[in-house]
Amino acid sequence: MKRTIAVVLLLLVAAVAPGVVAASVRGSPDLDLYLSDNRVTPGEKTQLSVTIQNTGDIDSGGSPANEARVTTARGTTLEMRESSAPITIKSGKVAAGSVPEGTSPPIPFSIVVDEDAALGTYTIPIRVSYTYTNQISDRSPFVQQQRSVTETHDVTIVVEDESRFEIVGTTSDASVSDSGTVTVRVQNVGSAPAEDATLSVQSPNSDVTLGAGAQSAESFVGSWAAGETKSVTYRVNVADDAERRSYSLQTTVAYENEDGEQVQSSPLATGFVPGGAQEFEIGNVESNLRVDAEGTLRGQVANTGDVVAANAVLVIDTQTQNLNPVETEVALGTLEPGQASDFAFDIEVGEEASAGPRQFTFHVEYRNNEGEKRQSDPLDTQVAVGQKLKEFNVEAVNATVTGGQSTTLEVAVTNNGEETLSDISAKLFADSPLSTSDDEAFIQSLEPGETATIEFAVSADGAALEKNYPVSMDFQYDNEQGDTKLSDTYQLPVQVNEPEGGGLPVIPIAVGAIAIALIGLYVLYRRQ
């Protein structure tokens, strides 16, 4: 050990009486340096923790306070020096402050051991600098002396066979608001095997939990040869409100070394970025829904998330009265991120429904990467429900009848809907002064837009005024689903005309005939 000492005399009292000699306490610190763990392995990045032990020397005693003062090293600094040891020193000068008698807290120095370091014992010099009070008077007038010291201490390290671990890869299929897995690949980059090894992982953030919701998990991996890489997969859960950013994980390896000792590695930091929350979007929605009819609601559902949605099914949640889906689910198949699938729902709209915009709600059921069943948030869309559409367009082709006579009323019937109608039975209703002796007609079927003409026998009372009189009719028919329906009632105008030539009125003629008959009878009576 080398020492360099500088002596400084300080007068603590401005005036000291000549010839007065005060009793003094004299002493000095006595420092030794130790490494709490001096074993390292080739290629290791680690910290050497240096501990200072100060035993102190008292040459002349006195009060306990002054003895403590002369044995305390103040303003202490340590500097690890380069040597023949196969290491690179990453720490500069480190301040240790005041070091009284006893043991200091550990003082860390960062080093990197050479990858090709030969096994063996090496010496590392550490330069220590401090000041201390070597003499102080124990009573007034007070006089003290200070000294500054720089000395070098040697510590030893042992480069030996040892297991050492590094994370060489991390992958994850977890996403926000879902569970998944994180796979950590760890390599034993040391020069010795590890036995009965256990790999532990810890999440310091509550947004990421492991297993059934714990902050840590471990997996037994057994024997671990030098140079071997182990892959361990852990189940992780990411909170609903988690951000999409990197989340750190700390990994440690506990194992038994070649000497049968239980050893734990330094923490190994890694992390992963969860995928975005699984999301879906409804688009390209169109429909032909109308009051009192069955229509189709069509659209597309797209996977706008970052995770595959396997075996996806779109479910319609609408519970609105008078809107009744024929089927409530549509299979979408497996949707890759960004992929969309068409859907169509047949929906019956009741006759009591109102026309206008209606909201439909859907959700997607699917399986995530773990094969677990998941359900999306509600997906809403608005669809317009149209006014009720009359099933037929009805037009009178020949709708004129002469008073006191009959005619054939021809009616053109057109299918106004979007499906073929069959077994169409028409029924005509007439009120006085009109009447019908043939009030039924039949049409086998009508395709959308197709027209057929049907006929009815209509008569007009001879006393009917010349003007339009109404007749009404309705239809009973079957739709494409085989359901029998009854249509609305349709009204048609029938024009009643007077007889041609404007003939004598019926009543005056009858009265005249009676009068002539009476006159004839009177004349006959007189002749007798």
Side-chain angles (χ1 to χ4, degrees), residues 70 92 106 121 132 139 212 236 238 240 301 311 418 421 427 472 494 505 513 515 527:
V70 299
T121 301
Y132 73 99
R139 59 179 179 270
V236 295
V238 185
D240 293 346
V301 58
N311 301 326
E418 298 177 344
L421 306 180
K427 176 77 172 178
S472 60
V494 175
R527 287 179 178 178

Side-chain angles (χ1 to χ4, degrees), residues 6 76 92 99 113 115 192 197 219 315 355 418 439 467:
T76 309
V99 182
V113 184
E115 290 282 354
S219 181
V315 181
E418 298 177 344
D439 60 359
K467 65 176 183 179

Side-chain angles (χ1 to χ4, degrees), residues 338-349:
Q339 185 178 2
S341 179
D342 296 331
F343 68 85
F345 287 95
D346 293 328
I347 298 175
E348 294 178 348
V349 183

Side-chain angles (χ1 to χ4, degrees), residues 416-445:
N416 197 39
E418 298 177 344
E419 62 177 343
T420 298
L421 306 180
S422 61
D423 295 336
I424 305 167
S425 297
K427 176 77 172 178
L428 184 72
F429 303 91
D431 293 323
S432 179
L434 300 178
S435 62
T436 176
S437 60
D438 182 10
D439 60 359
E440 293 184 354
F442 181 77
I443 302 172
Q444 184 68 39
S445 66

Side-chain angles (χ1 to χ4, degrees), residues 250-386:
Q250 290 187 346
T251 303
T252 56
V253 181
Y255 62 97
E256 183 179 292
N257 65 14
E258 292 181 308
D259 296 329
E261 300 170 325
Q262 294 296 322
V263 182
Q264 181 166 298
S265 72
S266 300
L268 309 172
T270 187
F272 74 101
V273 178
Q278 183 62 281
E279 295 179 345
F280 299 90
E281 186 175 281
I282 297 286
N284 299 329
V285 176
E286 57 183 27
S287 80
N288 59 356
L289 302 184
R290 288 185 177 277
V291 174
D292 194 25
E294 181 178 309
T296 303
L297 172 61
R298 303 179 186 275
Q300 279 190 334
V301 58
N303 178 1
T304 57
D306 299 321
V307 181
V308 175
N311 301 326
V313 175
L314 183 65
V315 181
I316 187 168
D317 298 328
T318 301
Q319 300 295 325
T320 304
Q321 189 176 7
N322 297 320
L323 295 174
N324 303 305
V326 177
E327 298 288 344
T328 59
E329 296 183 359
V330 172
L332 304 173
T334 295
L335 295 179
E336 301 284 341
Q339 185 178 2
S341 179
D342 296 331
F343 68 85
F345 287 95
D346 293 328
I347 298 175
E348 294 178 348
V349 183
E351 62 180 351
E352 302 299 325
S354 300
R358 292 290 181 270
Q359 179 164 297
F360 289 82
T361 301
F362 306 86
H363 71 263
V364 179
E365 295 178 355
Y366 63 97
R367 293 190 181 276
N368 64 8
N369 290 328
E370 301 300 303
E372 299 168 325
K373 193 171 183 178
R374 291 289 184 265
Q375 179 174 305
S376 73
D377 292 334
L379 305 169
D380 296 329
T381 188
Q382 284 197 345
V383 175
V385 174

